[in-house]
Amino acid sequence: PEVAVGDLVLKGQLIASANGTISASMHAPTSGRIRAIEQRPITHPSGMSGPCIVIDTDAQERWLDIPEPVDYRQRSKADLLACIHQAGITGLGGSSFPTTVKLSTEASITTLIVNAAECEPYITADDCLLRYHSAQVVDGIDIVLHLLGYPHCLIAIEDNKPEAIAALRAALQNRTDIDVVVIPTKYPSGGEKQLVQILTGQEVPHGGIPADLGILCQNVGTLGAVADAILQGYPLISRITTVTGSCVGRPGNY
C-alpha cells in the first residue's frame, strides 16, 4: 500500500505498488478517503480473502493531475515499458498477466496477434470497444509494434461482429502492415494457443508460450489501455464490461 487509513486520494492516484514481477500497481478508481486497509473476500474462485483498500467515495470524481502526452516514437523502450508498468496494465482478455512482462520478451517477435475474439460466449465487451473506440485500439497496436521492432500484425476477429469489423477496417485506412483476419465464431477460438493455431497453423509447444514461435498475443482491451497510458497518461482503472444473464434486469455493456 502507498496510502494510509484517513488519507484523501484522487482519481487515478497510485494506492498500491507492484510487489514482484508478476504483480501490478493499483490506482484509485475515484476520489475519496481511505477508510480501511484490511482482509476482505476477493473475486476469486477460492473464496479466500485478500488485503483490500477501502475508499469512501466523495462523488466528486476529482482527478490527479495527468502528465502531458508525449510522442512515443521519441521515447526509449525502457521508458515506454516503465510507463505501462506504472499504469498497472494487465491482460484484459481474462489472464490479468502483467503486460510489461509480456512486452519485455527477449525472443525475436515476427508476428503480433491482436485478439479481438471474445473469450467466452455472451461477452461482447471487445466488440463494443471496437465499434466505438477502434482508433484508440489502433493507437495501442502502433505503440506495441514500435516496442517489438515492427513485426507483422494480424487482428483476429470473429465473423459475428460485422459492425466491429467495419469500424476496425475504417480505422486502419487500408494499411498494409496490419491484416484483419475474420475467423469463424467457434468456442474457444479466443484462447491464446487456439488462436495461434487458427491463424498460423503452428502449435504452441507443451509447456511453452507463443514467443517460442516468434509470436506475441495481445487483447484489444489491453491495447486500448496501453494507448490510454502512453498517449493520455491514464492508469488502468476502468474497462468495458459485459453484464448479462437471465437474472440481470438490464443486460448490456457498461
Side-chain angles (χ1 to χ4, degrees):
E2 297 287 350
V3 291
V5 174
D7 286 356
L8 290 170
V9 295
L10 298 174
K11 187 173 183 176
Q13 180 179 333
L14 179 71
I15 57 174
S17 294
N19 182 16
T21 303
I22 311 302
S23 180
S25 298
M26 296 181 66
H27 302 78
T30 186
S31 56
R33 188 180 295 274
I34 304 298
R35 175 155 58 92
I37 301 175
E38 61 189 17
Q39 294 284 320
R40 290 203 172 195
I42 57 175
T43 52
H44 189 271
S46 66
M48 296 175 66
S49 295
C52 295
I53 297 174
V54 184
I55 301 175
D56 275 338
T57 61
D58 60 15
Q60 299 298 310
E61 292 288 298
R62 291 174 296 164
W63 269 96
L64 185 73
D65 289 338
I66 298 298
E68 290 291 324
V70 296
D71 185 352
Y72 66 88
R73 298 172 187 85
Q74 305 302 319
R75 298 179 67 175
S76 68
K77 179 177 180 179
D79 283 348
L80 291 173
L81 289 173
C83 181
I84 293 169
H85 176 71
Q86 291 161 7
I89 298 176
T90 61
L92 296 184
S95 69
S96 295
F97 191 80
T99 300
T100 307
V101 177
K102 245 186 175 182
L103 295 179
S104 299
T105 179
E106 295 183 0
S108 177
I109 302 299
T110 58
T111 303
L112 170 66
I113 291 178
V114 177
N115 190 347
E118 306 286 358
C119 60
E120 296 289 340
Y122 298 104
I123 295 177
T124 53
D126 291 344
D127 179 32
C128 185
L129 176 66
L130 288 172
R131 287 196 201 190
Y132 301 107
H133 302 285
S134 284
Q136 177 188 348
V137 173
V138 172
D139 284 341
I141 293 173
D142 283 334
I143 293 167
V144 170
L145 288 174
H146 175 72
L147 281 168
L148 298 175
Y150 294 96
H152 186 60
C153 179
L154 303 174
I155 304 176
I157 185 167
E158 293 164 309
D159 59 10
N160 66 344
K161 299 173 176 59
E163 296 92 343
I165 293 168
L168 192 53
R169 285 176 170 159
L172 289 169
Q173 297 180 340
N174 300 317
R175 286 176 53 171
T176 58
D177 58 328
I178 301 175
D179 293 330
V180 177
V181 183
V182 180
I183 64 173
T185 304
K186 185 178 180 181
Y187 181 83
S189 298
E192 185 173 80
K193 293 181 178 180
Q194 290 86 349
L195 194 59
V196 167
Q197 187 172 8
I198 291 169
L199 295 176
T200 71
Q202 300 182 82
E203 289 191 39
V204 177
H206 176 69
I209 58 176
D212 297 331
L213 303 174
I215 297 168
L216 190 139
C217 299
Q218 288 289 323
N219 170 263
V220 290
T222 310
L223 292 165
V226 166
D228 263 353
I230 300 296
L231 302 180
Q232 305 295 332
Y234 292 130
L236 178 58
I237 59 172
S238 67
R239 63 158 300 153
I240 297 175
T241 303
T242 303
V243 181
T244 191
S246 58
C247 62
V248 176
R250 294 180 62 191
N253 287 301
Y254 293 89

PDB file of all heavy atoms in Angstrom, residues 199-219:
ATOM      1  N   LEU A 199      -4.625 -19.091 -36.820  1.00  0.00           N
ATOM      2  CA  LEU A 199      -4.068 -18.063 -37.700  1.00  0.00           C
ATOM      3  C   LEU A 199      -2.801 -18.496 -38.426  1.00  0.00           C
ATOM      4  O   LEU A 199      -2.551 -18.068 -39.551  1.00  0.00           O
ATOM      5  CB  LEU A 199      -3.770 -16.794 -36.893  1.00  0.00           C
ATOM      6  CG  LEU A 199      -4.965 -16.061 -36.298  1.00  0.00           C
ATOM      7  CD1 LEU A 199      -4.499 -14.881 -35.452  1.00  0.00           C
ATOM      8  CD2 LEU A 199      -5.917 -15.573 -37.378  1.00  0.00           C
ATOM      9  N   THR A 200      -1.978 -19.316 -37.782  1.00  0.00           N
ATOM     10  CA  THR A 200      -0.665 -19.640 -38.342  1.00  0.00           C
ATOM     11  C   THR A 200      -0.472 -21.104 -38.693  1.00  0.00           C
ATOM     12  O   THR A 200       0.481 -21.448 -39.401  1.00  0.00           O
ATOM     13  CB  THR A 200       0.456 -19.236 -37.364  1.00  0.00           C
ATOM     14  OG1 THR A 200       0.442 -20.127 -36.219  1.00  0.00           O
ATOM     15  CG2 THR A 200       0.277 -17.792 -36.896  1.00  0.00           C
ATOM     16  N   GLY A 201      -1.351 -21.962 -38.163  1.00  0.00           N
ATOM     17  CA  GLY A 201      -1.163 -23.394 -38.378  1.00  0.00           C
ATOM     18  C   GLY A 201      -0.120 -24.004 -37.469  1.00  0.00           C
ATOM     19  O   GLY A 201       0.115 -25.211 -37.506  1.00  0.00           O
ATOM     20  N   GLN A 202       0.500 -23.195 -36.634  1.00  0.00           N
ATOM     21  CA  GLN A 202       1.521 -23.686 -35.708  1.00  0.00           C
ATOM     22  C   GLN A 202       0.904 -23.965 -34.341  1.00  0.00           C
ATOM     23  O   GLN A 202      -0.055 -23.301 -33.933  1.00  0.00           O
ATOM     24  CB  GLN A 202       2.639 -22.663 -35.551  1.00  0.00           C
ATOM     25  CG  GLN A 202       3.358 -22.309 -36.833  1.00  0.00           C
ATOM     26  CD  GLN A 202       4.481 -21.323 -36.576  1.00  0.00           C
ATOM     27  OE1 GLN A 202       5.581 -21.697 -36.166  1.00  0.00           O
ATOM     28  NE2 GLN A 202       4.207 -20.047 -36.808  1.00  0.00           N
ATOM     29  N   GLU A 203       1.469 -24.925 -33.637  1.00  0.00           N
ATOM     30  CA  GLU A 203       1.015 -25.241 -32.292  1.00  0.00           C
ATOM     31  C   GLU A 203       2.056 -24.774 -31.279  1.00  0.00           C
ATOM     32  O   GLU A 203       3.253 -25.030 -31.442  1.00  0.00           O
ATOM     33  CB  GLU A 203       0.780 -26.743 -32.141  1.00  0.00           C
ATOM     34  CG  GLU A 203      -0.432 -27.253 -32.900  1.00  0.00           C
ATOM     35  CD  GLU A 203      -0.796 -28.683 -32.508  1.00  0.00           C
ATOM     36  OE1 GLU A 203      -0.701 -29.013 -31.308  1.00  0.00           O
ATOM     37  OE2 GLU A 203      -1.159 -29.462 -33.402  1.00  0.00           O
ATOM     38  N   VAL A 204       1.588 -24.094 -30.249  1.00  0.00           N
ATOM     39  CA  VAL A 204       2.486 -23.714 -29.164  1.00  0.00           C
ATOM     40  C   VAL A 204       2.922 -24.991 -28.456  1.00  0.00           C
ATOM     41  O   VAL A 204       2.083 -25.800 -28.065  1.00  0.00           O
ATOM     42  CB  VAL A 204       1.776 -22.769 -28.182  1.00  0.00           C
ATOM     43  CG1 VAL A 204       2.693 -22.426 -27.010  1.00  0.00           C
ATOM     44  CG2 VAL A 204       1.310 -21.505 -28.898  1.00  0.00           C
ATOM     45  N   PRO A 205       4.222 -25.221 -28.295  1.00  0.00           N
ATOM     46  CA  PRO A 205       4.687 -26.471 -27.690  1.00  0.00           C
ATOM     47  C   PRO A 205       4.215 -26.642 -26.258  1.00  0.00           C
ATOM     48  O   PRO A 205       3.986 -25.653 -25.550  1.00  0.00           O
ATOM     49  CB  PRO A 205       6.211 -26.353 -27.769  1.00  0.00           C
ATOM     50  CG  PRO A 205       6.488 -24.894 -27.917  1.00  0.00           C
ATOM     51  CD  PRO A 205       5.333 -24.331 -28.664  1.00  0.00           C
ATOM     52  N   HIS A 206       4.055 -27.873 -25.842  1.00  0.00           N
ATOM     53  CA  HIS A 206       3.627 -28.168 -24.478  1.00  0.00           C
ATOM     54  C   HIS A 206       4.591 -27.514 -23.485  1.00  0.00           C
ATOM     55  O   HIS A 206       5.804 -27.659 -23.591  1.00  0.00           O
ATOM     56  CB  HIS A 206       3.604 -29.678 -24.242  1.00  0.00           C
ATOM     57  CG  HIS A 206       3.256 -30.045 -22.826  1.00  0.00           C
ATOM     58  ND1 HIS A 206       2.004 -29.836 -22.304  1.00  0.00           N
ATOM     59  CD2 HIS A 206       4.002 -30.585 -21.830  1.00  0.00           C
ATOM     60  CE1 HIS A 206       1.987 -30.245 -21.037  1.00  0.00           C
ATOM     61  NE2 HIS A 206       3.183 -30.711 -20.734  1.00  0.00           N
ATOM     62  N   GLY A 207       4.033 -26.769 -22.553  1.00  0.00           N
ATOM     63  CA  GLY A 207       4.856 -26.073 -21.578  1.00  0.00           C
ATOM     64  C   GLY A 207       5.493 -24.808 -22.115  1.00  0.00           C
ATOM     65  O   GLY A 207       6.251 -24.141 -21.405  1.00  0.00           O
ATOM     66  N   GLY A 208       5.192 -24.472 -23.377  1.00  0.00           N
ATOM     67  CA  GLY A 208       5.787 -23.293 -23.994  1.00  0.00           C
ATOM     68  C   GLY A 208       4.821 -22.133 -24.073  1.00  0.00           C
ATOM     69  O   GLY A 208       3.681 -22.194 -23.591  1.00  0.00           O
ATOM     70  N   ILE A 209       5.271 -21.059 -24.717  1.00  0.00           N
ATOM     71  CA  ILE A 209       4.465 -19.866 -24.908  1.00  0.00           C
ATOM     72  C   ILE A 209       4.574 -19.446 -26.373  1.00  0.00           C
ATOM     73  O   ILE A 209       5.490 -19.880 -27.084  1.00  0.00           O
ATOM     74  CB  ILE A 209       4.916 -18.719 -23.981  1.00  0.00           C
ATOM     75  CG1 ILE A 209       6.399 -18.378 -24.228  1.00  0.00           C
ATOM     76  CG2 ILE A 209       4.676 -19.075 -22.526  1.00  0.00           C
ATOM     77  CD1 ILE A 209       6.882 -17.183 -23.424  1.00  0.00           C
ATOM     78  N   PRO A 210       3.645 -18.604 -26.860  1.00  0.00           N
ATOM     79  CA  PRO A 210       3.707 -18.186 -28.264  1.00  0.00           C
ATOM     80  C   PRO A 210       5.043 -17.565 -28.668  1.00  0.00           C
ATOM     81  O   PRO A 210       5.466 -17.687 -29.817  1.00  0.00           O
ATOM     82  CB  PRO A 210       2.565 -17.174 -28.369  1.00  0.00           C
ATOM     83  CG  PRO A 210       1.559 -17.646 -27.362  1.00  0.00           C
ATOM     84  CD  PRO A 210       2.395 -18.131 -26.206  1.00  0.00           C
ATOM     85  N   ALA A 211       5.721 -16.899 -27.734  1.00  0.00           N
ATOM     86  CA  ALA A 211       7.013 -16.275 -28.052  1.00  0.00           C
ATOM     87  C   ALA A 211       8.031 -17.301 -28.526  1.00  0.00           C
ATOM     88  O   ALA A 211       8.968 -16.961 -29.258  1.00  0.00           O
ATOM     89  CB  ALA A 211       7.544 -15.516 -26.840  1.00  0.00           C
ATOM     90  N   ASP A 212       7.842 -18.570 -28.143  1.00  0.00           N
ATOM     91  CA  ASP A 212       8.738 -19.621 -28.617  1.00  0.00           C
ATOM     92  C   ASP A 212       8.631 -19.791 -30.127  1.00  0.00           C
ATOM     93  O   ASP A 212       9.549 -20.318 -30.765  1.00  0.00           O
ATOM     94  CB  ASP A 212       8.416 -20.957 -27.931  1.00  0.00           C
ATOM     95  CG  ASP A 212       8.628 -20.906 -26.426  1.00  0.00           C
ATOM     96  OD1 ASP A 212       9.492 -20.122 -25.982  1.00  0.00           O
ATOM     97  OD2 ASP A 212       7.937 -21.637 -25.700  1.00  0.00           O
ATOM     98  N   LEU A 213       7.510 -19.342 -30.694  1.00  0.00           N
ATOM     99  CA  LEU A 213       7.287 -19.411 -32.148  1.00  0.00           C
ATOM    100  C   LEU A 213       7.496 -18.046 -32.811  1.00  0.00           C
ATOM    101  O   LEU A 213       7.211 -17.889 -34.000  1.00  0.00           O
ATOM    102  CB  LEU A 213       5.862 -19.900 -32.435  1.00  0.00           C
ATOM    103  CG  LEU A 213       5.453 -21.252 -31.845  1.00  0.00           C
ATOM    104  CD1 LEU A 213       3.974 -21.521 -32.095  1.00  0.00           C
ATOM    105  CD2 LEU A 213       6.304 -22.367 -32.424  1.00  0.00           C
ATOM    106  N   GLY A 214       7.956 -17.076 -32.043  1.00  0.00           N
ATOM    107  CA  GLY A 214       8.119 -15.733 -32.588  1.00  0.00           C
ATOM    108  C   GLY A 214       6.818 -14.960 -32.654  1.00  0.00           C
ATOM    109  O   GLY A 214       6.676 -14.029 -33.456  1.00  0.00           O
ATOM    110  N   ILE A 215       5.867 -15.342 -31.800  1.00  0.00           N
ATOM    111  CA  ILE A 215       4.530 -14.741 -31.813  1.00  0.00           C
ATOM    112  C   ILE A 215       4.228 -14.133 -30.450  1.00  0.00           C
ATOM    113  O   ILE A 215       4.558 -14.722 -29.409  1.00  0.00           O
ATOM    114  CB  ILE A 215       3.463 -15.803 -32.147  1.00  0.00           C
ATOM    115  CG1 ILE A 215       3.692 -16.362 -33.562  1.00  0.00           C
ATOM    116  CG2 ILE A 215       2.048 -15.240 -32.021  1.00  0.00           C
ATOM    117  CD1 ILE A 215       2.868 -17.598 -33.865  1.00  0.00           C
ATOM    118  N   LEU A 216       3.600 -12.972 -30.453  1.00  0.00           N
ATOM    119  CA  LEU A 216       3.136 -12.358 -29.215  1.00  0.00           C
ATOM    120  C   LEU A 216       1.671 -11.981 -29.391  1.00  0.00           C
ATOM    121  O   LEU A 216       1.298 -11.414 -30.420  1.00  0.00           O
ATOM    122  CB  LEU A 216       3.972 -11.133 -28.867  1.00  0.00           C
ATOM    123  CG  LEU A 216       3.741 -10.550 -27.463  1.00  0.00           C
ATOM    124  CD1 LEU A 216       5.061 -10.144 -26.821  1.00  0.00           C
ATOM    125  CD2 LEU A 216       2.794  -9.350 -27.517  1.00  0.00           C
ATOM    126  N   CYS A 217       0.840 -12.311 -28.393  1.00  0.00           N
ATOM    127  CA  CYS A 217      -0.600 -12.043 -28.467  1.00  0.00           C
ATOM    128  C   CYS A 217      -0.989 -10.960 -27.465  1.00  0.00           C
ATOM    129  O   CYS A 217      -0.497 -10.942 -26.332  1.00  0.00           O
ATOM    130  CB  CYS A 217      -1.401 -13.312 -28.163  1.00  0.00           C
ATOM    131  SG  CYS A 217      -1.106 -14.686 -29.291  1.00  0.00           S
ATOM    132  N   GLN A 218      -1.874 -10.065 -27.905  1.00  0.00           N
ATOM    133  CA  GLN A 218      -2.400  -9.035 -27.015  1.00  0.00           C
ATOM    134  C   GLN A 218      -3.890  -8.860 -27.282  1.00  0.00           C
ATOM    135  O   GLN A 218      -4.326  -8.831 -28.427  1.00  0.00           O
ATOM    136  CB  GLN A 218      -1.690  -7.693 -27.250  1.00  0.00           C
ATOM    137  CG  GLN A 218      -0.264  -7.629 -26.747  1.00  0.00           C
ATOM    138  CD  GLN A 218      -0.159  -7.611 -25.238  1.00  0.00           C
ATOM    139  OE1 GLN A 218      -0.980  -7.012 -24.554  1.00  0.00           O
ATOM    140  NE2 GLN A 218       0.853  -8.264 -24.710  1.00  0.00           N
ATOM    141  N   ASN A 219      -4.656  -8.719 -26.216  1.00  0.00           N
ATOM    142  CA  ASN A 219      -6.088  -8.479 -26.321  1.00  0.00           C
ATOM    143  C   ASN A 219      -6.357  -7.020 -26.706  1.00  0.00           C
ATOM    144  O   ASN A 219      -5.588  -6.127 -26.359  1.00  0.00           O
ATOM    145  CB  ASN A 219      -6.753  -8.809 -24.974  1.00  0.00           C
ATOM    146  CG  ASN A 219      -8.194  -8.369 -24.897  1.00  0.00           C
ATOM    147  OD1 ASN A 219      -8.483  -7.302 -24.375  1.00  0.00           O
ATOM    148  ND2 ASN A 219      -9.094  -9.169 -25.423  1.00  0.00           N
TER     149      ASN A 219
END
